[in-house]
Amino acid sequence: MKKQAVKLEDVAAVAGVSKTTVSRVLNNRGYLSQATIDKVHKAMQELHYRPNIIARQLYQQRTNLVGLVFPTVDNPFFGQLEACLDHELYKRGYRVLMGNSQNNPDRERAYLRQLLNGQVDGLIVGAHNEGIEQYRNIQLPVVSIERLVSKDIPVVAADNYAGGVLATQQLLDDGCQHIIHTNYPHDLASPNMERRRAYEELMRRHGLPMYTYEVSFDSSTAEKIKIFYRLFDEHPEVDGVFADNDTNASLIMQVARKRGRRVPEDLKVVGFDGANMTRTLLPELTTIQQPIQQMATAAVQLLQDQIDGKKTTNSVQLPVKLIHGTTA
Amino acid sequence: MKKQAVKLEDVAAVAGVSKTTVSRVLNNRGYLSQATIDKVHKAMQELHYRPNIIARQLYQQRTNLVGLVFPTVDNPFFGQLEACLDHELYKRGYRVLMGNSQNNPDRERAYLRQLLNGQVDGLIVGAHNEGIEQYRNIQLPVVSIERLVSKDIPVVAADNYAGGVLATQQLLDDGCQHIIHTNYPHDLASPNMERRRAYEELMRRHGLPMYTYEVSFDSSTAEKIKIFYRLFDEHPEVDGVFADNDTNASLIMQVARKRGRRVPEDLKVVGFDGANMTRTLLPELTTIQQPIQQMATAAVQLLQDQIDGKKTTNSVQLPVKLIHGTTA
DNA sequence: ATGAAAGCGCTAACAT
DNA sequence: ATGTTAGCGCTTTCAT
C-alpha cells in the first residue's frame, strides 16, 4: 500500500497555493491569475506531477471506459469490429476495456461482475452465451451487436435475412440443386438465425432439400474440419454451400479439395462477413459483406445516447452486400 | 455527479453493523461470526449491493488492469497475440485496457498519458512509433514485444534472424536467383530488421542481387498493392519473394497472378508470422511461424515479475518454425 | 482570485 | 468478534 509519489498536495506546497487552486489550474476552471497559473505549472513540471486518474474517477463517478464483451478478438469479423468500435469510442473520449469471453459463460459472468461495479460507463456486447442472468435489470447503458440479450437492450445487426436470401439466390442462380448451409446450433438467440430462415424459405419455395450443419463458433478448427468431412461423406451430391461465416467457407473449400472437388466447377461456395482481412487473404471467396464500420458507428451512437440519458431503445438494422468472387 | 445508489454504508445500516464489518464480510477477512456473515449477506442481497471497484482501486493503489499498446487488433498476428495476452493476463487476475495506436504517435502518446496516471498496473507494448518520449524514465512495469523501446525495457521477440535465414534459404533451395524482400522502412528500431539482415547476408554470400521494398505497416491496402505492382514492373526477373508478413505475401501473390505469374511455378513466395487466421484462410502459404502463444506467456511472466518487484530486465528470444505450404 | 473543508466509497490500523 | 477513525487523491461547494 505505497502512496503515490507526488500528488496534488505536493504541487500546492511547492507552488505556495492551496490544493483547490492546483485543481483549478489542472482543469482550467474558475478565476485564476496568470501569475498563479505559471507558478503552478512550474511546480508541476519540477515535480513531474501526474494527476491520479482513479481519484478523479471516484469523485466524478465515471471512468470514460467502455467494456467490449465479445467471444474473441482473434477473428476477421470481431477483430475488425472491435477495431472500429475502439476507433469510434476513442473519438468520443472513451477507452476500451477488453472482455473476450471465449464463449465461456463463466468468463462472461466474471467480466460482467466487475464491469457492472462502476468499472465502465457502458457496455457493448456481442458474445454468444445464453442465459447470462446479469443482463436482467441492468442499470448500465448497454448496446448489443448481433445478439438478442434482453428486450430492453437495443440491438445493432446487419440485415441477416436479406443476406441469407442473397447468398442462397446466388447459388440457385448458379444452378445448384443440393445446397447445404452451416450455422450455429439452433437454440442460439441470434439474429444470425435469420440467415438460416432465409435459406430454408428459399429452398422450400424451390422444392429443394435442405440440410443445415451446426457448427458452434468456439469449436476448434480440427473439430470443424471433422464436421465438414462428414458433410461431404453424408451428402456427396452437394453442389453448393452457404456458409454462415467466411472462415467456415475457407475450411469447407479446403476439405472439398481434399475430397477431389474443384471450386467453383464442382462446388459453389458463398460465405458471410466479408471482413477486410478475409478480403485480403481470400479474395476469391464470394461472400455477403456486413457493414462493419457502420455497425460500430451505430452501436457507439446508441450507447452515447443512453449515457446522455436519451431514451432510445430503438434497434438498428443495416444493409448487407453481395461481393462477387470466383467461388460462386 | 450522482452518487452511487447503494453503498457499503447502506448495507451496514440495514444489517445493523459497522462499515468495517461489511467490508470484512466482503473480503472474507478477519474474525466474523456466522450470524453476522448471514445478516450482512442478507442485507447485500436485499439492497442489490455491488461494491464500487474504483473506490477499492483508489485505496489499494492498483487497478488489476494492464494496458496493451499495439497498432491494431484487426490483423492476424496482433489479433492472435492480443487474444493470447488477454488470456494469460486473465488467468493472473488482470483485465486488459486496449490501446490501438493505429501507428499514430499522437494516439500512442494520448494512451500513455492516461495509462501512466495510475490507470493500469503495467503495460505491454508493441506499437511501432518512434521517439515516444514518455517511455523514458517510466516508473511503471513495461514489457515490449518485437520492439526496442528503451534500454531498460525487456523485449520479447521471435528469433527473427533465424526466420530470415530459413525463409531465404528455402527460396535459394528452390533455385530462385532473383529474390526480393519486403520490410518496414529501414529506420524502424524493430527486431524485425533482423529478418532483413539475414536476407541480405545470405544473398551477399551467394553473390546474388538484393532488393528490399519498404512497405510501412500502416499504409492502406491500395497503397501496398501499388508498391507491389511497381515491384513486378521494376524487376520482371523476380522469381522469389520473402515477405515480412503474411498479408503482404498474400497481396504479392494476388498482384503476381494479375501479372500472369503462376505461384509457385513462376514465382516462389515465403511469408512471415504464421498466425492461426492466416493458416485457416491461406493454408497454401509457406511461411515462418512465430510462437505467438509462447511470446504472450513470456511477456506476461516478465510483466508479473516486474510488478512483483523482481528485477528481471532480461529479454527473451523464442524460436521460429518454417511451415511448408505449396508456395515455396 | 484564492482557500478551508467536506466527501466520492472503500479499507485497515488501532482500539475495545 | 466488532466498531471508530483516518485516510487513498481528487473536486467542489461555500466562504472570504
Side-chain angles (χ1 to χ4, degrees), chain B residues 190-205:
Chain B
S190 157
N192 200 343
M193 281 302 132
E194 292 292 293
R195 304 178 194 173
R196 178 172 184 165
R197 195 167 65 80
Y199 158 77
E200 292 181 344
E201 281 193 19
L202 254 72
M203 296 304 277
R204 194 174 297 118
R205 198 181 308 158

Side-chain angles (χ1 to χ4, degrees), chain B residues 17-18 20-21 24 31-33 36 58-59 61:
Chain B
V17 297
S18 75
T20 314
T21 302
R24 284 200 181 105
Y31 306 97
L32 269 345
S33 77
T36 307
L58 176 60
Y59 185 86
Q61 298 287 95

Side-chain angles (χ1 to χ4, degrees), chain A residues 100-120:
Chain A
N100 291 346
S101 70
Q102 321 244 179
N103 273 336
N104 177 337
D106 292 334
R107 257 187 90 152
E108 184 164 348
R109 285 193 193 92
Y111 275 122
L112 289 173
R113 194 179 322 124
Q114 284 211 323
L115 299 180
L116 298 179
N117 287 198
Q119 178 95 285
V120 297

Side-chain angles (χ1 to χ4, degrees), chain B residues 99-161:
Chain B
N100 291 346
S101 70
Q102 321 244 179
N103 272 337
N104 177 337
D106 292 335
R107 258 188 90 153
E108 184 163 347
R109 284 192 194 92
Y111 275 121
L112 289 173
R113 195 178 323 124
Q114 285 210 324
L115 299 181
L116 298 179
N117 288 198
Q119 178 94 286
V120 297
D121 295 347
L123 229 44
I124 301 182
V125 305
H128 291 163
N129 299 311
E130 294 290 317
I132 302 285
E133 54 294 335
Q134 285 144 307
Y135 288 111
R136 313 274 152 204
N137 310 329
I138 212 167
Q139 54 266 61
L140 201 71
V142 185
V143 173
S144 127
I145 295 189
E146 290 274 314
R147 174 179 175 190
L148 306 169
V149 181
S150 93
K151 43 205 154 308
D152 325 314
I153 296 175
V155 181
V156 173
D159 189 345
N160 286 288
Y161 185 84

Side-chain angles (χ1 to χ4, degrees), chain B residues 1-14:
Chain B
M1 256 266 18
K2 62 190 178 208
K3 301 181 198 177
Q4 176 165 310
V6 26
K7 52 189 163 188
L8 195 138
E9 199 173 348
D10 303 324
V11 176
V14 169

